[in-house]
Amino acid sequence: MKSSGLFALLAAIFGAPALHAQTATPVWATRYDGPASPSNADYAVATVVDGAGNVIVTGQSIAANGHEDYYTAKYAAADGALLWEQRSANGFANSVAVDSAGNVIVTGASTDSDYYTVKYAAANGALLWEKRYNGPANGVDGARSVAVDSAGNVAVTGSSYNASGNPYYYTAKYAAASGALLWEKRYNGPVNFSDEARSIAVDSAGNVIVTGESYNSSFNSDYYTAKYAAASGALLWEKRYNGPGSDSDSAYSVAVDSAGNVFVTGASFGGSFDYYTAKYAAANGALLWEKRYDGPGNNEDGAISAKVDSAGNVVVTGYSWNGSNNDYYTVKYAATDGHLLWEARYDGPAHNTDWMGQVFPTASFLALTADGGAVVTGQSSNGTDFDYATVKYAPPAGDAEGDGLQDWWEQMWWGTTDGHSAHDDFDHDGIPELLEMAFGLNPKKSDALPPVVNEGGYLSITITKHPGVTYEVQTADAPAASAFSPATTTVLVDDSTTLKVRDNILIGTPPARYLRVKVNAVP
């Protein structure tokens, strides 16, 4: 490279080992047993984390009069202490979301079979507004999922019965301040039989994505996913998935990354039910990758919820048969190709049924935390009946971002026999991942090498150093690798964290000079 502003940055580094799944660590757990006497079943069905890390959980709880109520609670981030709780009489909560101000929106079905959506104030849970929807057939209508766009507008989806007595997707978008209806959309599948939306998400532009199940011409259910325009609800694209068993396939959750790519997950039959997770391209819904999971009991496994972190990795949770009963099972997949980053199982204190979605499978049993961990909720047997059980996981030790890359120096220097090489580019940004690590970058996120700076006619570069690496400065009169030799350059800074070097030849002064920083491993 010429001395017009770029260095030849070449790495002489060992290959990295394979990334191995770690086990996440519980931070706290809390349980809630409702007021019914004698004790009765309470079901947590949805959770979300606000901007301060506080956890909001909603679900169903039996009131003292024996009626089903929405029950919503807000817990402190650090220790799970109760901040506030609210009950809404006569209903079945299915999903919860939080807006940028921390206000909480819950949706579900009232006991008289309408959509029922309610918005609570962040500080104390006070009621801000509520909305009901009764479909044209005056049948059974129930919202399953809620999402909030960047403007605070609220989108809900679920199922509403048509005149033929069959459910169809019904999706509505409400105004942030008052809950006024902005638009609504219905979807009736190819055989006019049974179509049930289970989950909703919004992208950064406010477009709305819904997923669920829709019956095909063989009268088996498929995943059905649709993307609607933010302003009008116009259909942008739609996708169907029929699994390897050409049998029942039901999507339960949808999530969107910062680029608008779409993740769906659920249960797909292939001899038994497995987790099935797919990633679709933002623009047209093209399949980018897909993953299946069959648990240790080789029986019924169903993914219920998916969320995407800031790096585009996806966390999926649900229930998995361990051979004798169900556990919570949570897994994190890498953004680029879906490989496993970490996994965790939860078997409650009674070592009995731990479940998500026993009443209605819904999409909000999962929330992500800023440290790369996750919170999951559902119902767990105490030996007599079911309680809410909420578990918070931290990412594996030494993995501050929860991206599966534990301590970076261990990943670099553990060994060279795993098939990785210095040319591997995990995030496809054109920079080998080991070079990114050595230069202080994150190999799991697209980035750029440190810039070369013209400082008074000299070229300089500043590198954030890591332990376990030495940096050798070399110069040459030509760009060929064989031409480089130890340099006579100025080292401006060289301490435990930073290396800054400067070429001694002024830009534009013949002969043309080249400078490279060679990255070396310490055995």
Side-chain angles (χ1 to χ4, degrees):
M1 296 183 180
K2 297 182 179 178
S3 55
S4 58
L6 294 177
F7 286 70
L9 302 176
L10 305 176
I13 48 184
F14 292 112
L19 301 177
H20 300 289
Q22 308 284 329
T23 299
T25 304
V27 176
W28 54 254
T30 186
R31 301 177 76 90
Y32 170 75
D33 191 6
S37 181
S39 181
N40 212 320
D42 303 295
Y43 301 102
V45 300
T47 187
V48 70
V49 174
D50 68 15
N54 302 308
V55 176
I56 300 97
V57 177
T58 198
Q60 290 88 49
S61 176
I62 304 297
N65 62 7
H67 293 159
E68 290 272 7
D69 291 344
Y70 284 28
Y71 174 77
T72 305
K74 184 174 181 178
Y75 300 115
D79 58 6
L82 182 65
L83 299 178
W84 55 255
E85 58 185 341
Q86 289 290 345
R87 300 182 74 93
S88 296
N90 299 330
F92 304 90
N94 281 327
S95 184
V96 63
V98 62
D99 65 19
S100 59
N103 301 309
V104 174
I105 302 95
V106 179
T107 199
S110 64
T111 52
D112 55 357
S113 300
D114 291 341
Y115 278 41
Y116 177 68
T117 304
V118 58
K119 183 174 181 178
Y120 298 121
N124 58 8
L127 178 65
L128 297 179
W129 54 253
E130 56 188 341
K131 295 294 289 185
R132 302 177 73 89
Y133 170 74
N134 184 15
N138 195 31
V140 178
D141 306 305
R144 294 290 185 86
S145 186
V146 60
V148 181
D149 69 16
S150 60
N153 300 311
V154 174
V156 298
T157 199
S159 59
S160 177
Y161 275 69
N162 59 26
S164 301
N166 297 313
Y168 55 84
Y169 283 35
Y170 174 77
T171 305
K173 192 169 187 180
Y174 300 122
S178 64
L181 181 65
L182 299 177
W183 55 255
E184 57 186 347
K185 288 290 174 178
R186 297 175 174 83
Y187 171 74
N188 189 8
V191 293
N192 189 31
F193 182 62
S194 181
D195 306 290
E196 298 188 56
R198 300 287 175 78
S199 181
I200 195 167
V202 294
D203 65 17
S204 59
N207 301 310
V208 174
I209 302 96
V210 299
T211 200
E213 67 177 30
S214 174
Y215 274 69
N216 58 35
S217 59
S218 299
F219 285 88
N220 295 313
S221 59
D222 297 336
Y223 282 31
Y224 174 76
T225 305
K227 182 174 181 179
Y228 299 119
S232 64
L235 180 66
L236 299 177
W237 54 255
E238 56 187 344
K239 298 292 287 186
R240 299 183 73 91
Y241 171 73
N242 186 8
S246 295
D247 206 314
S248 297
D249 305 292
S250 298
Y252 293 130
S253 185
V254 62
V256 183
D257 68 16
S258 60
N261 299 309
V262 173
F263 299 81
V264 296
T265 199
S268 174
F269 192 84
S272 63
F273 280 101
D274 300 333
Y275 281 36
Y276 174 77
T277 305
K279 182 178 181 179
Y280 298 125
N284 57 8
L287 180 65
L288 299 177
W289 55 254
E290 56 188 342
K291 290 291 175 178
R292 297 184 73 88
Y293 170 75
D294 186 9
N298 191 30
N299 204 313
E300 304 301 304
D301 305 292
I304 299 297
S305 295
K307 298 286 184 181
V308 180
D309 70 13
S310 60
N313 306 307
V314 63
V315 180
V316 174
T317 198
Y319 58 89
S320 175
W321 186 255
N322 62 24
S324 58
N325 52 63
N326 281 307
D327 298 333
Y328 294 6
Y329 175 73
T330 306
V331 58
K332 189 169 188 177
Y333 296 121
T336 51
D337 59 5
H339 79 258
L340 182 66
L341 296 177
W342 59 254
E343 57 185 344
R345 299 182 76 90
Y346 172 75
D347 186 8
H351 302 293
N352 204 320
T353 298
D354 304 293
W355 190 267
M356 299 175 189
Q358 185 175 6
V359 179
F360 287 115
T362 57
S364 302
F365 292 92
L366 167 70
L368 304 188
T369 56
D371 65 355
V375 178
V376 298
T377 197
Q379 57 241 38
S380 175
S381 173
N382 60 25
T384 302
D385 57 29
F386 286 96
D387 298 332
Y388 280 36
T390 303
V391 183
K392 182 178 181 180
Y393 294 112
D399 179 12
E401 294 175 328
D403 62 3
L405 188 72
Q406 199 181 12
D407 295 320
W408 75 270
W409 50 88
E410 292 179 355
Q411 295 294 339
M412 286 182 72
W413 315 127
W414 272 349
T416 60
T417 60
D418 60 355
H420 285 239
S421 78
H423 302 289
D424 288 344
D425 181 11
F426 188 86
D427 55 10
H428 305 293
D429 63 358
I431 308 170
E433 59 191 66
L434 299 186
L435 185 60
E436 290 191 81
M437 288 187 283
F439 277 68
L441 307 177
N442 185 343
K444 297 299 182 69
K445 299 179 182 178
S446 293
D447 213 329
L449 288 174
V452 174
V453 179
N454 182 345
E455 295 183 339
Y458 298 93
L459 298 179
S460 69
I461 187 169
T462 302
I463 297 165
T464 301
K465 293 169 62 176
H466 284 296
V469 176
T470 59
Y471 301 83
E472 179 184 355
V473 180
Q474 296 181 335
T475 58
D477 293 332
S482 60
F484 283 92
S485 61
T488 55
T489 61
T490 300
V491 179
L492 301 176
V493 179
D494 186 8
D495 56 30
S496 61
T497 61
T498 304
L499 171 67
K500 183 176 182 180
V501 296
R502 188 185 73 186
D503 192 352
N504 280 334
I505 305 299
L506 284 171
I507 295 175
T509 302
R513 296 287 292 179
Y514 298 82
L515 177 68
R516 75 176 180 183
V517 177
K518 184 179 179 184
V519 181
N520 300 289
V522 175

